Amino acid sequence: MDFYRPITDYKLTGRVLIVPIVSVANVAQLTVDLITTTFGLQRVGVLDPKYHVPVAGAREDGAPGITMPLELFGSNSSSVAVIQQRSPVLALFKQDFTDTLLEFIRTSCVSAVIFLAGVDMSNRTDTQMLTPTTYIRPASSPAVTSVPLSSLADLPIPAYFSQSDDPRSIPFIPGGGLTRRIVSSIPTSWQIPTVCFLQYVMEGDNRYDAQILANVTAKVLNCTVSGWKQPTTWGHGLFGTPHDSTLYG
């Protein structure tokens, strides 16, 4: 199959595309869940799952069909679209997937792309403990001084760094999954304003971390959100079933 198969008559042209990267605590996927539910985005297409660990399951709220590893969500009334990734990329296909994803983004004529990922909180320096969120802007990305990412300069979010890295390259991102590979693979001819937000997290109940990352994303896009709506599936054992209180007397 082609990398992208549309389900409805929907175009990415001119929209901001948000792409979560499987990483520590799955905070990026949780953030996309919040954005999808709050903005009322619907599944508009599926992407080729051959690069991923196979997974299939029921869809949100009993919608017909099955959930697949990589899906596109959007709405004709929204300027934001998101990809949701539900399983990691197989080791053999890491670079193939990276190249194919970037080519899909490049040819989709989006106005900007925002990557989301987690970074291991235990690897922070003293300076990095001052904020829960940081970002990387690829050197090949056009300036973000104009819309839709112009608000980035107004937010108190520092650029991500790693003391052990060459400052000319993308820093090491502990727990970041394919984040470094994807951002490093963006070609010099790239014409799409791009930023990657990183959230310092540890494994656990990361719903609050996801709200922080969603808030940052919304502020950069000048989207007003009065409160984030959680998917109903979050209440069905997202972090396991509750303990039986009788076990403790």
Side-chain angles (χ1 to χ4, degrees):
M1 64 177 289
D2 294 334
F3 181 65
Y4 176 65
R5 182 170 66 87
I7 295 175
T8 64
D9 183 17
Y10 178 82
K11 302 295 183 183
L12 278 171
T13 303
R15 306 181 196 275
V16 177
L17 180 63
I18 300 173
V19 183
I21 301 172
V22 172
S23 48
V24 61
N26 287 327
V27 66
Q29 281 68 37
L30 296 176
T31 301
V32 165
D33 273 350
L34 292 175
I35 293 171
T36 301
T37 305
T38 303
F39 289 6
L41 306 182
Q42 302 296 319
R43 188 171 71 168
V44 296
V46 297
L47 296 98
D48 193 346
K50 70 180 180 182
Y51 304 102
H52 298 76
V53 174
V55 64
R59 294 186 60 206
E60 186 78 21
D61 296 327
I66 61 172
T67 291
M68 299 182 67
L70 205 61
E71 300 175 319
L72 179 68
F73 291 80
S75 169
N76 287 324
S77 61
S78 176
S79 62
V80 175
V82 303
I83 288 176
Q84 181 59 290
Q85 182 180 345
R86 293 188 173 86
S87 69
V89 175
L90 293 164
L92 182 64
F93 298 125
K94 287 182 178 180
Q95 193 59 48
D96 290 339
F97 170 73
T98 296
D99 295 339
T100 304
L101 174 65
L102 291 176
E103 179 63 12
F104 167 72
I105 295 172
R106 186 191 69 81
T107 57
S108 295
C109 300
V110 295
S111 60
V113 60
I114 298 175
F115 293 103
L116 304 176
V119 56
D120 190 347
M121 180 183 289
S122 64
N123 282 268
R124 289 182 298 175
T125 64
D126 289 347
T127 303
Q128 291 170 332
M129 291 184 182
L130 299 176
T131 177
T133 312
T134 182
Y135 75 92
I136 294 173
R137 193 173 70 82
S140 53
S141 168
V144 294
T145 53
S146 58
V147 292
L149 301 181
S150 57
S151 295
L152 177 62
D154 300 326
L155 298 181
I157 302 175
Y160 179 74
F161 69 90
S162 176
Q163 294 179 336
S164 62
D165 282 298
D166 182 341
R168 295 169 296 179
S169 66
I170 300 299
F172 173 62
I173 306 170
L178 292 182
T179 305
R180 190 183 191 194
R181 180 188 293 264
I182 290 173
V183 177
S184 298
S185 297
I186 294 176
T188 56
S189 58
W190 194 254
Q191 297 296 315
I192 304 169
T194 302
V195 66
C196 177
F197 289 121
L198 301 172
Q199 184 78 13
Y200 292 110
V201 289
M202 295 186 71
E203 295 286 351
D205 185 343
N206 300 103
R207 285 174 286 190
Y208 179 69
D209 298 303
Q211 289 184 26
I212 294 175
L213 190 52
N215 282 332
V216 170
T217 304
K219 288 180 179 178
V220 167
L221 297 176
N222 289 313
C223 295
T224 301
V225 178
S226 58
W228 293 103
K229 182 179 179 182
Q230 297 184 4
T232 55
T233 49
W234 281 21
H236 300 160
L238 177 64
F239 296 103
T241 55
H243 295 295
D244 183 351
S245 60
T246 60
L247 293 173
Y248 307 102

